[in-house]
Amino acid sequence: MGFSSTVVAAGLLFAASVIAGDVRASDLVGDCRWSETAELHPTCIVQPSSADVLSGFVKTLVQGECPFAIKSGGHNPWAGVNDIDEGVVVDLSKINEVSLSYDRTSVKLGAGGNWGDVYKALEPQGMMVPGARASGVGVGGMTLGGGLSYFTPRVGLTADNVVDFEVVLASGEVVHATDSDNTDLFYSLKGGSSNFGIVTRMDVKAFQNGEIWGGEIVSPINATEDALHHLNDFVTNSNTDVNTAVEVVFNLNTTNGEQRIISIVADTAGNADSSLLKPFQSLPKVADTSRKTSMSDLSEELQGRLPAGQRYAFATVTFQSDLDALKQVHNISLAVFEDYKDVKDVTWNLVYESLPLDYQNFGPNPIGLNYSTTDRIALVLNPTWLDATQDDQVAKAANDWVDRIQEWTNVHGKSSPLELLPYAAPFQDPLEFYGDDNLKFLQEVAKKYDPDEAFQKLVPGGFKVSKAGRQ
């Protein structure tokens, strides 16, 4: 019996949905991917409804040595991370609970839900959790990679706010990891990705929050110098107002020449007059959507600018926050895009993200944010295009972009040993930058809870602790 037949039989036994045969995930309602680049052809798609149901499938997969992929929201654009060729996709979309605890201190979240639905469920109750800025991002994948949100300056990363992980191990055992039970696993899951088991649910700290103020301020490209200056000032002074958050995005299409700056601003306390955000509001405007609104509405606006069905990629670098370094990194990026101007109909999106020192005050987690003595800026390259024949050239450009920026920051003493895992490209090694002690710890925990290394060998996608530091 092939593993397709084996999994179908397991589906009948454990009463869960199984789609068999050569299918694309997008052919199955509820199992689509954000980016066309992530779409592969699994042999089976399994949709468990609970950890207990998933337990039986995991035992079947591991005992049969069946390769499999794990999908939460399917928002990572790189092929193989949340899909697989000739293997099984474990699609968690039916595990999508949003349940506020009786004492209103935490929310139980299914790992297969998306953050837009989480916000919509909590807002009528006046409650909130720190989740993704785009509504379509999955709960599980984002949290296991750390999780930056508009609320990070106030409460830390999403992972920092988890108080209980429900995990299905390779043995099929369902365990809980908290600060008093399986504490080593609890720490490791706060940034360690899918190296230890399949997280099905998590309890996340909740807090009261009403409407927020935010939106997108679109400016002409000739405001670049001012936008970079405002971003650097924001990073330096961000500790003066923990309710504010900013991303500065440059949209650059080298084919048709369209270029613009988008300052994505938010004040989670609903204040439209924050002194930290005023400089961005003073930029020349092509459009301005800033208003008092709900988190769900704001997250849908951002998701609308990044629609599913296109081709996307990620790569990321981090460097010390310094205005001269910021300008140099930006100019290097422009030079790379000019070198690849023959790659047609691609929009190069540069997303600048603040990483101030104060983010070290949360946790603990293994991500390595504490390996810095300066404020930092994370820069994400997020190109988008439609033609699959351009995939190799876009990937080559991303690799070149990372190499050139890292070369400059290393030579000029502005480098920072951090690559944000959710935005890293396959040719990068984000786990290596967690630091030697953290990486060794994660490797030991993975071996303890998965002694036969099923999640290292049978799950080909994602960054593996067993391979980290070896590139």
Side-chain angles (χ1 to χ4, degrees):
M1 180 184 291
F3 69 74
S4 175
S5 299
T6 301
V7 173
V8 171
L12 295 174
L13 178 62
F14 300 114
S17 299
V18 177
I19 307 299
D22 184 16
V23 295
R24 294 178 81 232
S26 59
D27 295 332
L28 177 62
V29 175
D31 192 51
C32 59
R33 301 300 186 280
W34 170 55
S35 175
E36 285 288 317
T37 54
E39 290 276 12
L40 298 175
H41 290 78
T43 304
C44 298
I45 299 172
V46 173
Q47 293 183 314
S49 57
S50 69
D52 290 337
V53 171
L54 177 59
S55 170
F57 276 111
V58 170
K59 285 190 286 189
T60 300
L61 294 171
V62 172
Q63 290 171 2
E65 298 184 352
C66 303
F68 63 100
I70 306 161
K71 173 186 170 289
S72 170
H75 214 266
N76 191 295
W78 291 105
V81 175
N82 50 52
D83 209 343
I84 195 168
D85 278 326
E86 298 182 357
V88 176
V89 170
V90 177
D91 169 28
L92 300 175
S93 60
K94 290 190 175 182
I95 305 177
N96 55 16
E97 176 184 2
V98 183
S99 177
L100 183 64
S101 66
Y102 179 76
D103 62 5
R104 296 168 64 88
T105 61
S106 66
V107 181
K108 189 177 296 295
L109 300 178
N114 65 63
W115 288 105
D117 289 340
V118 171
Y119 302 145
K120 288 178 181 177
L122 294 178
E123 284 165 349
Q125 304 175 75
M127 301 300 290
M128 188 50 57
V129 289
R133 289 163 288 208
S135 61
V137 176
V139 170
M142 182 236 189
T143 305
L144 296 179
L148 288 165
S149 82
Y150 292 136
F151 298 96
T152 294
R154 192 201 308 181
V155 300
L157 302 176
T158 304
D160 293 334
N161 289 271
V162 177
V163 295
D164 187 345
F165 291 100
E166 179 184 72
V167 192
V168 179
L169 303 179
S171 64
E173 182 183 3
V174 180
V175 302
H176 285 262
T178 70
D179 63 0
S180 60
D181 192 17
N182 297 312
T183 56
D184 50 357
L185 181 59
F186 181 61
Y187 175 81
S188 300
L189 289 169
K190 296 189 172 192
S193 194
S194 58
N195 281 285
F196 316 98
I198 300 179
V199 172
T200 48
R201 285 186 173 84
M202 58 200 75
D203 293 355
V204 181
K205 293 177 186 176
F207 49 87
Q208 288 186 323
N209 208 86
E211 285 191 314
I212 66 177
W213 178 90
E216 300 183 355
I217 300 170
V218 183
S219 304
I221 201 65
N222 60 14
T224 293
E225 185 171 351
D226 285 342
L228 294 177
H229 190 279
H230 297 335
L231 173 65
N232 189 71
D233 286 348
F234 178 86
V235 178
T236 302
N237 299 304
S238 60
N239 63 342
T240 63
D241 187 349
V242 297
N243 294 310
T244 57
V246 169
E247 286 183 299
V248 178
V249 183
F250 288 81
N251 294 151
L252 309 167
N253 189 309
T254 52
T255 299
N256 61 24
E258 291 183 2
Q259 302 180 65
R260 61 180 182 169
I261 306 167
I262 305 175
S263 302
I264 304 173
V265 296
D267 187 293
T268 58
N271 179 17
D273 298 313
S274 167
S275 60
L276 287 182
L277 300 181
K278 281 294 184 184
F280 298 97
Q281 294 173 272
S282 70
L283 290 170
K285 297 180 180 67
V286 175
D288 184 356
T289 69
S290 59
R291 74 281 189 196
K292 201 165 187 179
T293 186
S294 64
M295 183 61 219
S296 60
D297 180 53
L298 201 61
S299 70
E300 288 176 353
E301 178 181 42
L302 180 55
Q303 190 64 60
R305 194 167 52 77
L306 300 167
Q310 300 188 48
R311 308 184 78 78
Y312 295 92
F314 280 148
T316 184
V317 294
T318 305
F319 54 95
Q320 296 177 24
S321 179
D322 172 275
L323 185 57
D324 289 338
L326 184 55
K327 291 179 179 179
Q328 287 294 332
V329 167
H330 191 76
N331 288 334
I332 292 169
S333 299
L334 297 182
V336 171
F337 303 154
E338 178 64 21
D339 289 346
Y340 287 87
K341 64 183 178 182
D342 291 336
V343 183
K344 300 298 182 183
D345 298 320
V346 176
T347 297
W348 306 98
N349 298 301
L350 286 172
V351 184
Y352 289 92
E353 175 80 51
S354 169
L355 289 178
L357 268 174
D358 286 355
Y359 285 8
Q360 299 181 11
N361 298 334
F362 304 105
N365 62 62
I367 293 174
L369 291 175
N370 57 328
Y371 292 119
S372 178
T373 57
T374 65
D375 294 325
R376 291 176 287 186
I377 293 174
L379 177 55
V380 177
L381 176 63
N382 177 209
T384 178
W385 68 106
L386 294 173
D387 185 356
T389 64
Q390 306 279 29
D391 288 5
D392 290 344
Q393 279 295 96
V394 172
K396 185 174 183 294
N399 202 330
D400 196 9
W401 176 80
V402 170
D403 287 346
R404 289 198 215 177
I405 291 176
Q406 289 183 339
E407 179 182 10
W408 187 91
T409 57
N410 287 334
V411 168
H412 292 85
K414 299 299 181 181
S415 64
S416 177
L418 182 67
E419 294 174 345
L420 294 177
L421 185 147
Y423 305 111
F427 58 80
Q428 297 189 273
D429 191 4
L431 292 171
E432 176 185 15
F433 296 101
Y434 283 18
D436 291 343
D437 291 343
N438 277 331
L439 179 55
K440 181 180 178 182
F441 183 83
L442 294 180
Q443 290 168 338
E444 291 172 349
V445 172
K447 191 68 175 176
K448 173 183 175 181
Y449 289 91
D450 182 18
D452 295 326
E453 298 188 307
F455 287 94
Q456 305 301 308
K457 299 174 180 178
L458 296 180
V459 182
F463 297 101
K464 304 300 177 186
V465 293
S466 59
K467 298 178 180 178
R470 298 182 183 179
Q471 294 192 22

